[in-house]
Amino acid sequence: MKGSLTMRTQKCYAVRPNVSEFLDIARRAYTEVVDDIAGLVAQLGEKYSLPLRTSFSNTRGFFIQMKLEGGVLPGGKLPEDFIKKNNYGFTTVDLMKMNDHCEEALKDIFHMSYVVVSRLMSDVCEHIHCLYKLSDAVSMLDMLLSLAHACTVSDYGNV
């Protein structure tokens, strides 16, 4: 799923909500732009009576895709020289602007997420010695419990 829309969305929400107010605002802006893109495509489909849907690619961003049944265009058929692919991709000036807004929101989200994660890492690094001590104590307890269990099960106490 590298580079897919799903992966991109997951990266947007890698940091839980309510950690940074600005991050939450940037995510809302991103979601609104994506919703506006879907609305624009639906509007265009209704306006021109075409089977349009919203699609996404890494190189193009969001774009309009039209799937034609049997390669028939609303005004007639494709020329015989054309090989039917049944899918056509389009964009509009408004959609290109919305893609730009979407990219800006993503840059903000990724930057703010990086800041939040960096701050968390620095806080953890300050107390890493406590984590080392805790892991040492837990491993010692695990070893003692394993030895006690082995003695109990195997009856080593009576030897």
Side-chain angles (χ1 to χ4, degrees):
M1 291 181 41
K2 182 181 179 187
S4 71
L5 182 58
T6 304
M7 180 63 93
R8 184 169 143 166
T9 303
Q10 286 176 351
K11 285 171 68 175
C12 286
Y13 293 93
V15 175
R16 70 177 172 84
N18 302 321
V19 171
S20 166
E21 186 177 340
F22 294 119
L23 179 57
D24 293 341
I25 290 169
R27 285 194 279 224
R28 271 193 299 266
Y30 171 76
T31 303
E32 287 173 7
V33 171
V34 171
D35 290 344
D36 290 345
I37 289 171
L40 173 68
V41 173
Q43 243 178 3
L44 290 170
E46 288 175 19
K47 180 178 179 180
Y48 296 108
S49 299
L50 294 172
L52 303 180
R53 66 185 172 118
T54 307
S55 292
F56 177 82
S57 79
N58 285 336
T59 53
R60 296 170 70 181
F62 289 98
F63 63 98
I64 302 166
Q65 194 169 36
M66 181 171 61
K67 185 173 183 175
L68 298 175
E69 299 301 324
V72 179
L73 290 169
K77 292 189 176 205
L78 285 171
E80 289 183 25
D81 295 341
F82 290 177
I83 299 170
K84 292 187 241 180
K85 282 290 223 178
N86 295 339
N87 285 319
Y88 299 90
F90 308 99
T91 192
T92 66
V93 173
D94 290 336
L95 186 56
M96 289 189 295
K97 288 177 186 175
M98 288 179 178
N99 267 321
D100 290 341
H101 291 303
C102 197
E103 289 301 317
E104 289 173 25
L106 277 174
K107 285 179 186 176
D108 291 342
I109 290 168
F110 294 155
H111 174 72
M112 286 183 248
S113 294
Y114 174 79
V115 168
V116 167
V117 170
S118 296
R119 196 171 347 135
L120 174 66
M121 291 301 291
S122 103
D123 290 348
V124 167
C125 286
E126 286 179 26
H127 303 289
I128 197 77
H129 65 281
C130 295
L131 293 175
Y132 284 130
K133 287 181 181 179
L134 178 63
S135 67
D136 188 40
V138 169
S139 64
M140 180 61 77
L141 284 172
D142 183 48
M143 181 189 73
L144 292 173
L145 180 64
S146 296
L147 289 174
H149 178 71
C151 286
T152 305
V153 169
S154 301
D155 201 26
Y156 289 137
N158 295 329
V159 177

